[in-house]
Amino acid sequence: MQYVTPLSQADKKRFHQRKVTVDAPLANIKDLMDQHLTGLVSGRQFDLLPFLNNVFACQLQTFALTENYNLLEQHENEDNLKQFSENSQALHQRLAALMDKESSLLKDYELLHEQVRANYYAAEPDDLASKQLDGTATNLELAFHALLGMSADTQWLMEVGMQTLRLLNPALTTAMIQQISASIMMLVEQSDDVA
């Protein structure tokens, strides 16, 4: 079982809509498949592909959660709030499980994590932190905060994946890594409306 949390029907549907298989969602990204994806990382044998597959699942969920948030922003009602809350919880669990499983890989990237989170949280209104503390933040503001935090975590995991790819393939140029990363993001951002 390569996914840290079982894929839901909604997850499988998102894979299917992008015409990728659950077993090898990144198989069509040739630049990635041409690289060494296993090797020694921090003194232990590491297989990067299952990690990247899990990050991809997180990216798809984050993309869907962003769409949930946009809907909530347009129509703030009980149903949209419930939908956002459930999807947010599922993504949080997947991110936490992946971070726990790969803690030995991720421990070297804590500073990067802080930087990525700081960049994302810079998009928040300045008074949101104090509103959270005194309990005056609206549901929409709390949803935005949750979305930013999980978007940052997903982005950080992707960056760790790309840095690990470089460790396994020292000859890879920055441009090649950016190209691989962009190809994965293009796959993620294919609209969920595509049948």
Side-chain angles (χ1 to χ4, degrees):
M1 171 54 198
Q2 64 170 320
Y3 292 98
V4 288
T5 55
L7 294 178
S8 67
Q9 282 308 110
D11 289 325
K12 289 175 184 169
K13 185 179 173 203
R14 285 191 281 267
F15 277 64
H16 178 70
Q17 284 166 333
R18 287 159 180 84
K19 298 180 174 52
V20 298
T21 67
V22 165
D23 293 334
L26 304 176
N28 291 340
I29 299 180
K30 188 178 178 320
D31 289 343
L32 175 64
M33 291 301 140
D34 287 345
Q35 308 307 322
H36 295 292
L37 298 173
T38 58
L40 280 181
V41 175
S42 301
R44 70 181 181 113
Q45 190 64 24
F46 185 72
D47 185 351
L48 181 60
L49 200 53
F51 177 78
L52 288 178
N53 289 343
N54 273 293
V55 173
F56 181 70
C58 292
Q59 287 174 313
L60 290 183
Q61 257 185 303
T62 304
F63 186 68
L65 192 65
T66 303
E67 293 187 334
N68 285 161
Y69 175 79
N70 292 338
L71 195 62
L72 182 63
E73 201 174 29
Q74 290 163 9
H75 309 285
E76 192 174 342
N77 59 38
E78 200 61 41
D79 286 348
N80 289 342
L81 196 59
K82 184 170 179 282
Q83 178 87 43
F84 181 88
S85 178
E86 286 171 0
N87 291 344
S88 169
Q89 203 166 1
L91 176 56
H92 177 73
Q93 286 169 345
R94 178 166 283 153
L95 285 166
L98 183 54
M99 288 182 203
D100 184 55
K101 181 176 185 284
E102 300 297 351
S103 57
S104 59
L105 172 70
L106 298 173
K107 70 181 187 313
D108 295 335
Y109 294 97
E110 285 307 321
L111 185 61
L112 178 64
H113 195 192
E114 287 170 28
Q115 289 167 344
V116 172
R117 285 185 80 96
N119 288 344
Y120 272 81
Y121 283 133
E124 276 189 339
D126 295 339
D127 61 347
L128 185 55
S130 59
K131 279 183 168 181
Q132 282 178 288
L133 288 174
D134 64 21
T136 58
T138 66
N139 285 334
L140 197 59
E141 287 171 329
L142 293 172
F144 186 57
H145 180 76
L147 177 62
L148 285 179
M150 288 187 277
S151 297
D153 289 346
T154 303
Q155 178 61 34
W156 171 61
L157 290 168
M158 180 63 177
E159 289 187 23
V160 170
M162 291 300 103
Q163 292 201 21
T164 306
L165 182 63
R166 168 166 276 160
L167 277 177
L168 295 170
N169 301 274
L172 264 186
T173 63
T174 301
M176 276 291 287
I177 291 203
Q178 287 170 341
Q179 178 57 49
I180 291 167
S181 182
S183 298
I184 294 172
M185 282 316 296
M186 278 171 63
L187 194 55
V188 169
E189 291 172 0
Q190 283 181 13
S191 173
D192 280 353
D193 299 327
V194 179

